[in-house]
Amino acid sequence: MCGIVAYVGHRQAHEVIIKGLKRLEYRGYDSAGIALLNGGLNVYKKKGKVSELEEFVKGKNLNSTIGIGHTRWATHGEPNDVNAHPHYSSTGKLAIIHNGIIENYSSLKQELINKGHTFKSETDTEVFIHFIEDIKEKENCSLDEAVRLALTKVVGAYAIVIMSLEDPDLLVAARKGSPLVVGVGKDEFFLASDATPIIEYTNEVVYLNDQEIAVVNDGKLSIKNTANLPLSPYIQTIDLELEAIEKGGYEHFMLKEIFEQPRSISDCMRGRLDSKSGRLVLGGLREYVNKLVNADRILIVACGTSWHAGLVAEYFFEEFCRIPVEVEYASEFRYRNPVIREGDVLIAISQSGETADTLAAIEMAKSKGAIIFGVCNVVGSSIPRATHAGAYTHAGPEIGVASTKAFTAQLTVLNMIALIVANKKGTITEQKLHEMLTELENIPAKVAEVLKLNDQIKEISETFKDATNFLYLGRGYNFPVALEGALKLKEISYIHAEGYPAAEMKHGPIALIDEEMPVVFIATQDSSYEKIVSNIQEVKARKGRVIAVVTKGDKHIAKMAEFTIEVPAVHEALMPMVSVIPLQLLSYHIAVMRGCNVDQPRNLAKSVTVE
């Protein structure tokens, strides 16, 4: 969601912050702002893109070596200049940037109004900084102590950074349920929502944990928690190259990330899988793998694209491990009263590792005695720290809001976990295991083969770019792929699209089919091939326009479909990693042809860190 960047040191702060905010644009936002100390505590903010903020501050005095910056994704109050961050305190001596939601802001606001406070914005954040200043004045204490006391009284999620007119070398930051990282340079410090704005300057970082407060003052970093216990900063070296967060010659990050998938899938398997020796190892699972082997049930929780990866994993785990699996939307799971027993294992899937609903689901399941495994991409993020064990996908930074390489990397890890469990449990033969490892090892080359169809898919996209609706249909392992294809199209082209199991078409959606309706079938040759051929015939009989993803060499469906996209043959359990690629490219090209911002679709954020 919102993006935070702050700096104190010897550089021009506004240059660091503006560049950092641009690196965080992928998170999604509707306004941007910056605060600097230069003869006063000056706040500049503007509705719209960071480029509009840049234009707004031209000619203003930006000479400062300390500052805070923010990109806002609106929660309380509409997107406009006034509601944009940073926000001043009542006296104007403090300024704050904030990612998250303060749930009890309304009662705090009324309390402050009764004391004579007036507010300019509709935000919970302005209430937050007024409250902190009110405590500071009442208790006659330091700013960091006022922040600590305030955090014991607020309810909700937050990542905050505060600067003060009276302390020109001071930044106070804190987090709970929303990510915040501190970059440690030589006589300088950087704070940000993630490492992408920091990596240009330093690879040494401190990841703040929930209810921790970081104080940067006079060139030193100290950390304590809200119970006022001092903590030793744990400085980590991050393995992230600047080139990984640049476009590298591609028109969009999304296209770059689609084409990175042969490499990202290989990186996910590197050092873990060797089909020739039969070696398959995930170090992060070693201590807890028997919990999975002996599990009575596996629960998978996730949101969005990660939920679709979980659906594919459900098929895989049940087929090869013979363990019942339930896949849940994290946002619904946490608000039910689910039956969770001590023998249950919960697998949480998240690209960012910061998804608020998934984190809440983890904490609830842990409290009921479940063992928690995490499948995440971002090293050092909150979900890996909250789980008992897990595995990183090592897909590299994913900047495009619409996940592509994250999906195939998640499937790679989940398939490897399932094969390890099946092998230890004895539900897969040595011959079958070797076959599946070989197939998995060959996936990157087969994805690369599909990517060569880019020009063909671009031509198909031209035909359907003006469509207003799409249906995506698949069976078995390819049903979740239909859901994922529809989601991608909705996310970035704003065309209404729905995914269904192909057999469910007759239970309602078939009423929508006419000569204007494009229907995408994922119809590769597998155990349900004959059934999906029948579904295609049903659509053709009603004049629907069929686009079919088929196995290479399939001439039968080619006679029925208006367009076919041929992908190489793969074991049906691994086909989603291949069959999804044409759907990613289709959505990308349609969106570009419609003039949409594919990397930053409207209303969406990369990491949903608020409920």
Side-chain angles (χ1 to χ4, degrees):
M1 292 297 201
C2 307
I4 284 174
V5 183
Y7 174 79
V8 58
H10 50 80
R11 305 175 195 264
Q12 285 295 311
H14 82 277
E15 294 178 2
V16 175
I17 293 167
I18 292 292
K19 186 181 286 187
L21 292 179
K22 287 181 177 179
R23 297 215 186 280
L24 290 177
E25 284 187 310
Y26 73 92
R27 297 175 70 90
Y29 68 103
D30 45 55
S31 57
I34 188 171
L36 302 168
L37 270 177
N38 48 13
L41 181 53
N42 298 308
V43 169
Y44 310 106
K45 51 188 183 176
K46 199 72 180 165
K47 178 185 176 182
K49 297 295 183 184
V50 175
S51 58
E52 295 174 67
L53 173 65
E54 272 189 294
E55 191 65 29
F56 178 66
V57 299
K58 278 183 179 177
K60 294 182 169 57
N61 177 16
L62 304 177
N63 183 36
S64 176
T65 56
I66 183 171
I68 57 178
H70 189 264
T71 52
R72 176 178 186 250
W73 191 87
T75 52
H76 296 79
E78 68 179 75
N80 58 31
D81 293 354
V82 174
N83 289 330
H85 298 208
H87 286 285
Y88 282 119
S89 63
S90 180
T91 64
K93 293 180 179 180
L94 302 176
I96 187 173
I97 51 179
H98 167 221
N99 183 9
I101 294 175
I102 303 304
E103 295 175 11
N104 62 334
Y105 88 101
S106 183
S107 58
L108 293 174
K109 185 174 185 177
Q110 189 57 54
E111 180 183 324
L112 291 164
I113 289 171
N114 293 342
K115 291 181 177 182
H117 287 249
T118 58
F119 296 91
K120 297 177 181 178
S121 77
E122 304 168 81
T123 67
D124 54 338
T125 303
E126 188 184 9
V127 174
F128 201 175
I129 192 62
H130 277 237
F131 184 54
I132 289 168
E133 186 177 67
D134 184 69
I135 290 174
K136 185 176 184 295
E137 292 176 349
K138 183 171 65 177
E139 301 293 333
N140 191 27
C141 61
S142 64
L143 177 58
D144 59 281
E145 177 61 9
V147 169
R148 186 188 72 82
L149 292 171
L151 296 182
T152 64
K153 299 180 186 299
V154 299
V155 178
Y158 53 79
I160 58 170
V161 185
I162 300 169
M163 59 190 296
S164 169
L165 178 64
E166 298 173 340
D167 293 288
D169 297 313
L170 174 69
L171 291 174
V172 179
R175 72 152 283 179
K176 179 187 175 187
S178 198
L180 198 60
V181 59
V182 182
V184 181
K186 187 176 182 182
D187 301 321
E188 60 183 348
F189 293 90
F190 309 80
L191 295 99
S193 298
D194 62 40
T196 53
I198 292 172
I199 192 61
E200 183 172 348
Y201 310 100
T202 180
N203 63 352
E204 294 192 336
V205 301
V206 176
Y207 291 100
L208 291 187
N209 293 310
D210 273 358
Q211 299 182 323
E212 289 185 352
I213 302 166
V215 180
V216 177
N217 195 16
D218 197 24
K220 297 176 183 176
L221 170 67
S222 61
I223 297 177
K224 60 183 176 181
N225 61 21
T226 53
N228 211 25
L229 296 174
L231 304 167
S232 298
Y234 173 51
I235 299 176
Q236 301 182 46
T237 301
I238 53 174
D239 182 19
L240 177 62
E241 299 295 331
L242 185 60
E243 292 78 10
I245 56 174
E246 301 288 353
K247 288 182 183 175
Y250 287 90
E251 186 178 355
H252 298 97
F253 280 110
M254 182 180 178
L255 186 62
K256 177 194 176 194
E257 288 153 9
I258 291 171
F259 273 83
E260 283 179 337
Q261 287 175 104
R263 188 182 72 189
S264 59
I265 295 168
S266 293
D267 288 346
C268 191
M269 292 186 283
R270 183 170 291 116
R272 293 168 162 178
L273 187 156
D274 182 356
S275 63
K276 291 179 181 175
S277 65
R279 180 178 183 270
L280 181 59
V281 177
L282 289 172
L285 297 184
R286 192 174 288 120
E287 187 179 347
Y288 285 91
V289 69
N290 286 333
K291 296 289 186 181
L292 269 166
V293 171
N294 298 317
D296 296 323
R297 177 180 62 154
I298 294 173
L299 298 165
I300 297 178
V301 295
C303 301
T305 288
S306 297
W307 185 75
H308 296 156
L311 288 177
V312 178
E314 177 182 18
Y315 285 80
F316 204 98
F317 271 96
E318 291 194 341
E319 178 172 350
F320 292 100
C321 304
R322 308 308 300 153
I323 301 171
V325 178
E326 296 176 23
V327 185
E328 302 270 1
Y329 283 113
S331 54
E332 288 297 312
F333 180 78
R334 59 174 298 200
Y335 288 114
R336 294 204 334 260
N337 185 18
V339 177
I340 302 173
R341 298 159 298 206
E342 289 196 17
D344 290 340
V345 170
L346 183 140
I347 299 176
I349 312 171
S350 169
Q351 189 283 137
S352 68
E354 301 291 350
T355 311
D357 287 316
T358 306
L359 275 164
I362 286 170
E363 295 305 327
M364 182 181 70
K366 277 172 74 175
S367 71
K368 294 177 181 292
I371 297 296
I372 315 295
F373 286 80
V375 175
C376 295
N377 187 34
V378 180
V379 176
S381 54
S382 297
I383 286 176
R385 297 205 299 270
T387 54
H388 294 105
Y392 287 113
T393 57
H394 298 304
E398 189 177 65
I399 307 299
V401 166
S403 276
T404 52
K405 65 178 182 176
F407 178 73
T408 50
Q410 287 166 351
L411 291 183
T412 306
V413 166
L414 290 162
N415 290 342
M416 288 192 293
I417 292 172
L419 290 173
I420 288 170
V421 172
N423 189 36
K424 287 187 72 72
K425 195 174 181 183
T427 52
I428 189 171
T429 65
E430 286 294 327
Q431 181 180 345
K432 188 65 175 178
L433 177 64
H434 182 265
E435 176 193 339
M436 295 305 297
L437 293 181
T438 302
E439 286 266 9
L440 194 53
E441 211 167 42
N442 289 333
I443 290 293
K446 294 186 176 183
V447 169
E449 189 177 335
V450 179
L451 290 170
K452 293 177 183 177
L453 304 175
N454 183 48
D455 289 344
Q456 178 200 347
I457 296 168
K458 187 175 181 179
E459 289 179 14
I460 296 171
S461 302
E462 180 70 40
T463 302
F464 295 102
K465 64 182 174 60
D466 296 320
T468 55
N469 295 283
F470 264 76
L471 277 179
Y472 286 73
L473 301 173
R475 283 177 177 262
Y477 282 96
N478 278 324
F479 156 54
V481 178
L483 296 177
E484 176 61 11
L487 176 62
K488 286 285 113 24
L489 192 69
K490 280 184 281 195
E491 283 180 309
I492 63 172
S493 75
Y494 317 139
I495 295 173
H496 175 254
E498 296 296 336
Y500 284 92
E504 286 297 303
M505 178 182 62
K506 294 190 289 293
H507 295 273
I510 199 168
L512 299 172
I513 293 172
D514 58 21
E515 61 273 9
E516 300 297 325
M517 174 67 80
V519 183
V520 180
F521 279 92
I522 303 92
T524 53
Q525 288 178 336
D526 56 25
S527 55
S528 57
Y529 177 77
E530 296 300 331
K531 298 290 186 183
I532 206 158
V533 167
S534 297
N535 297 137
I536 293 173
Q537 290 170 332
E538 289 162 351
V539 169
K540 286 298 293 179
R542 288 154 183 84
K543 297 184 170 54
R545 306 188 68 181
V546 174
I547 307 163
V549 177
V550 301
T551 305
K552 193 171 184 178
D554 187 328
K555 305 301 181 189
H556 186 43
I557 291 179
K559 295 174 183 177
M560 293 182 283
E562 185 174 353
F563 296 97
T564 56
I565 302 168
E566 295 189 355
V567 300
V570 182
H571 189 287
E572 68 176 293
L574 302 179
M575 181 54 83
M577 301 170 69
V578 175
S579 61
V580 74
I581 307 298
L583 308 188
Q584 294 172 349
L585 288 169
L586 185 70
S587 63
Y588 169 80
H589 288 300
I590 287 175
V592 170
M593 290 171 184
R594 290 167 66 89
C596 301
N597 186 339
V598 297
D599 284 338
Q600 298 165 39
R602 67 188 183 205
N603 303 331
L604 294 179
K606 183 65 177 173
S607 177
V608 184
T609 57
V610 296
E611 295 177 37

